[in-house]
């Protein structure tokens, strides 16, 4: 049995919190896209990229091990307590997601640890429109069912793998444009071609919900097709 060296390293997790108020929950696709952009904003933030950045060491340790993300939900006072912790707020059409620097797997801040992680279910009130030409797309596997929270984490994984595959100049262009992207479910007939295209593919580690090794997202950035 081969041991993955990533498992021997200290394990970190990237916390994301989605705001879900009872009276006005966000649409599912909006939440997925906002979570993906939140990961990109954190990954490109100077606090995470500068040699002496306050988050740089944690981000490096997180990426050297299993790149785990966990999405929790909050509302009202819970959301206010989450906003008081160091992190970045990212908004979509209506969705709000706060992303935090990586924390040890067993070292969550108490105001995040108490938030619910399971049962985050969101719906799209109508079918999302086709992405505009030239927009980076995170394609979801049409054959894998995921809760909204799990899908948000997977979209974040896809965005991160796409970011890592780009050149520094391409990353800068994407960042300066505000990280435009779309999250869509791929057509079943197109999925096999997408996973074989050479584009970054998320293969889930199988910690929650789905089988280990499942391909969940393909990161389709125009720059990666050139």
């Amino acid at each position: 049995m081969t041991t993955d060296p990533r498992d021997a390293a200290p394990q970190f997790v990237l916390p994301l919190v989605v705001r879900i108020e009872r009276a006005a929950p966000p649409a599912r696709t909006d939440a997925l896209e906002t979570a993906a952009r939140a990961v990109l904003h954190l990954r490109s933030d100077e606090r995470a990229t500068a040699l002496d950045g306050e988050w740089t060491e944690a981000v490096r340790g997180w990426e050297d091990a299993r790149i785990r993300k966990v999405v929790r939900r909050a509302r009202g006072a819970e959301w206010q307590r989450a906003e008081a912790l160091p992190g970045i707020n990212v908004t979509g059409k209506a969705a709000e997601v706060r992303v935090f620097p990586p924390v040890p797997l067993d070292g969550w801040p108490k105001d995040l640890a108490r938030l619910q992680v399971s049962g985050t279910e969101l719906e799209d009130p109508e079918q999302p429109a086709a992405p505009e030409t030239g927009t980076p797309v995170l394609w979801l596997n049409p054959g894998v069912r995921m809760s909204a929270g799990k899908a948000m984490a997977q979209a974040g994984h896809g965005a991160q793998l796409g970011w890592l595959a780009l050149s520094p100049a391409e990353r800068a262009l994407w960042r300066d444009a505000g990280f435009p992207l779309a999250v869509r479910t791929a057509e079943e007939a197109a999925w096999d071609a997408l996973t074989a295209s050479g584009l970054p593919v998320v293969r889930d580690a199988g910690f929650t919900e789905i089988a280990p090794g499942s391909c969940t997202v393909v990161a389709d950035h125009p720059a990666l097709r050139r």
Side-chain angles (χ1 to χ4, degrees):
M1 181 176 177
T2 302
T3 301
D4 192 315
R6 293 175 298 172
D7 294 327
Q11 300 295 304
F12 293 83
V13 62
L14 187 81
L16 297 109
V17 175
V18 56
R19 184 177 186 179
I20 303 181
E21 300 290 346
R22 281 199 183 97
R28 181 183 175 99
T29 296
D30 188 15
L32 268 59
E33 292 173 348
T34 305
R37 289 174 47 240
V39 171
L40 293 169
H41 277 287
L42 180 130
R43 188 58 188 77
S44 63
D45 193 282
E46 286 189 358
R47 289 168 288 183
T49 59
L51 288 177
D52 58 350
E54 61 183 291
W55 299 344
T56 299
E57 185 176 354
V59 169
R60 184 180 298 118
W62 168 59
E63 288 191 334
D64 285 346
R66 295 282 185 179
I67 303 178
R68 304 188 190 197
K69 300 176 181 68
V70 172
V71 177
R72 302 194 176 203
R73 65 183 186 274
R75 63 173 181 264
E78 297 172 332
W79 177 256
Q80 292 173 3
R81 287 192 292 269
E83 280 195 305
L85 298 174
I88 302 170
N89 270 26
V90 178
T91 58
K93 296 181 179 69
E96 293 182 70
V97 174
R98 187 165 180 83
V99 61
F100 304 85
V103 298
L105 195 58
D106 57 355
W108 283 66
K110 65 179 182 179
D111 283 332
L112 299 183
R114 66 180 55 164
L115 298 176
Q116 292 293 316
V117 64
S118 62
T120 301
E121 292 301 338
L122 300 169
E123 302 293 337
D124 281 316
E126 56 188 28
Q127 186 74 12
E132 293 185 12
T133 302
T135 299
V137 181
L138 303 172
W139 294 109
L140 302 178
N141 186 337
V144 174
R145 294 180 61 83
M146 294 181 282
S147 67
K150 178 71 171 179
M152 289 171 69
Q154 297 298 296
H157 288 336
Q160 184 176 1
L161 292 184
W163 164 266
L164 292 172
L166 295 172
S167 70
E170 290 162 346
R171 292 176 188 174
L173 287 172
W174 199 12
R175 179 196 63 220
D176 293 347
F179 293 121
L181 58 83
V183 178
R184 298 290 187 272
T185 300
E187 296 290 338
E188 289 188 13
W191 180 249
D192 287 345
L194 281 168
T195 59
S197 64
L199 293 168
V201 179
V202 177
R203 290 177 172 82
D204 193 68
F207 295 119
T208 61
E209 291 193 26
I210 57 180
S214 299
C215 296
T216 56
V217 181
V218 174
D220 188 358
H221 191 292
L224 299 178
R225 286 187 172 270
R226 289 199 285 268

